[in-house]
Amino acid sequence: MKNGKPSEFALIRSIQSAFDGKTPQGVLGIGDDCAIIPQQSGLDTLVSTDMLIQDVHFRLEEIPPFMLGWKSAAVNISDIAAMGGTPTATFLSLALPENISGGWMADFVNGYKEISAKYGVALLGGDTTASANSLCINVTVLGTCPCGKAILRSGAMPGDLICVTGVLGDSATGFAAGLECPVLLAKHFKPEPRVREASVLAGTRGVHAMMDISDGIGGDLRHILERSGVGAIVDTDSIPMSDLMKQTCQKLGLDPLEKAISGGEDYELLFTMDPSCKPEIDYTVIGRITKIPNQLVWDGSSKDFQGFKHF
Ligand code: ADP
Ligand code: MG
């Protein structure tokens, strides 16, 4: 114990005990050199990893530790959902600067634990180290889907409808508004991955391409166009936005359409499907896939929107 802070091993033990009893039967989790996950026949394994860096992705003085723990798992679980998969396990690696207290860490682990329990995801390992300056969080997530049934970015076809779940721009508007609008700020700090909706879409014939919206559709839709070799017309009047978000943008002198298209971090699903498809989830049609490779037209607006840029 140093300055009331748990040692690396005490911290690992406390994380391990927080997740005690949550490891699925037949799986070896935290405590050995490796985790062991038996192969399951008929299923593909999905793997993704995401890094969250202090002062690049979050500010320690702004985000409550519980929500940072939640968000670290949420953005990874969302990547599995984006393929139509079922998230099963995560690995959590932490580089911790001196100023992180034991209490802060406990709240972080609680947030991570709450969303893991909600989606039945086991924490099976990770790494813990000191850091000279910033807090770095790396999460690796594993998931499964029936062999060959993952929904890729590359499957969009001319004539497909372009659709999104939920509303767009709440997160970015919340980030801009800060404590002036705690409801929207919570959507930025504590996003909800669309696991249920994604699994319905994965089981619906005619859903051709899917991804989660992390950088805003201005950037993310371009990824689908590039990978699929198609174009798109988006009807900007049909982009779903919450009333609270529109009011907040008006109050702050922000362009709501800009926040909805370029703001990012909504973690809603962006997908394309045959017009005959009627998936049983709530969604909004925002446009159509066209034949012209990489041509993205914003119908109803004179602006050319891009996605959120991290660099
Ligand atoms: P090694 O020396 O092999 O890297 P560690 O002492 O780092 O082993 O880790 C011991 C066990 O604790 C391993 O099972 C590892 O996966 C797990 N572990 C370490 N850090 C974390 C963490 N932040 N979250 C979850 N599990 C962790
Ligand atoms: Mg280690």
Side-chain angles (χ1 to χ4, degrees):
M1 194 76 90
K2 199 166 84 185
N3 310 328
K5 283 164 45 129
S7 70
E8 176 191 334
F9 295 116
L11 177 57
I12 295 172
R13 264 199 308 279
S14 76
I15 293 176
Q16 183 176 13
S17 67
F19 284 81
D20 223 16
K22 303 269 195 293
T23 307
Q25 274 268 307
V27 170
L28 181 69
I30 298 174
D32 214 309
D33 293 310
C34 286
I36 304 178
I37 306 165
Q39 294 285 332
Q40 292 168 275
S41 71
L43 296 180
D44 283 335
T45 300
L46 308 175
V47 188
S48 181
T49 191
D50 250 307
M51 195 123 88
L52 292 168
I53 308 289
Q54 183 182 348
D55 296 330
V56 177
H57 301 99
F58 63 90
R59 288 195 203 287
L60 209 50
E61 60 278 16
E62 283 172 4
I63 186 164
F66 181 93
M67 293 192 184
L68 186 59
W70 171 288
K71 187 168 184 174
S72 303
V75 301
N76 281 276
I77 290 171
S78 178
D79 280 323
I80 299 292
M83 308 292 280
T86 304
T88 53
T90 62
F91 291 78
L92 169 64
S93 294
L94 299 166
L96 300 170
E98 272 288 319
N99 60 341
I100 296 293
S101 70
W104 189 98
M105 219 32 248
D107 286 346
F108 176 92
V109 170
N110 274 334
Y112 196 96
K113 193 171 123 178
E114 183 162 304
I115 186 169
S116 298
K118 179 167 185 180
Y119 292 103
V121 181
L123 176 64
L124 295 185
D127 198 22
T128 306
T129 171
S131 168
N133 293 304
S134 41
L135 172 63
C136 306
I137 304 158
N138 174 245
V139 176
T140 299
V141 64
L142 303 186
T144 59
C145 74
C147 277
K149 298 291 184 199
I151 303 183
L152 312 185
R153 298 176 179 187
S154 55
M157 308 207 325
D160 275 2
L161 301 178
I162 302 168
C163 311
V164 295
T165 56
V167 290
L168 302 184
D170 275 6
S171 171
T173 304
F175 183 64
L179 292 172
E180 272 188 62
C181 189
V183 176
L184 293 182
L185 186 60
K187 294 204 62 173
H188 181 76
F189 285 157
K190 197 165 170 279
E192 194 69 55
R194 294 288 190 182
V195 176
R196 189 190 67 80
E197 290 81 355
S199 94
V200 171
L201 290 168
T204 305
R205 259 180 76 111
V207 175
H208 291 150
M210 183 155 70
M211 66 183 298
D212 65 336
I213 304 173
S214 55
D215 295 341
I217 57 169
D220 291 332
L221 182 54
R222 281 191 173 82
H223 296 312
I224 289 184
L225 303 188
E226 263 165 42
R227 304 279 298 189
S228 303
V230 294
I233 298 182
V234 174
D235 171 16
T236 54
D237 291 335
S238 68
I239 291 175
M241 292 180 270
S242 70
D243 289 339
L244 179 60
M245 177 267 202
K246 286 188 273 190
Q247 289 157 11
T248 306
C249 281
Q250 195 178 25
K251 215 172 7 173
L252 299 176
L254 302 169
D255 176 5
L257 203 53
E258 173 82 33
K259 288 288 167 219
I261 296 176
S262 305
E265 299 220 51
D266 287 309
Y267 299 100
E268 294 293 347
L269 298 170
L270 170 65
F271 59 99
T272 84
M273 64 179 190
D274 191 273
S276 66
C277 258
K278 299 270 179 292
E280 286 182 1
I281 58 162
D282 288 333
Y283 64 92
T284 306
V285 176
I286 61 163
R288 261 196 195 258
I289 295 293
T290 65
K291 282 190 193 141
I292 310 160
N294 294 317
Q295 189 198 63
L296 178 47
V297 177
W298 301 104
D299 202 16
S301 173
S302 53
K303 280 196 195 168
D304 182 28
F305 298 96
Q306 303 292 325
F308 179 78
K309 295 242 176 355
H310 297 278
F311 292 100

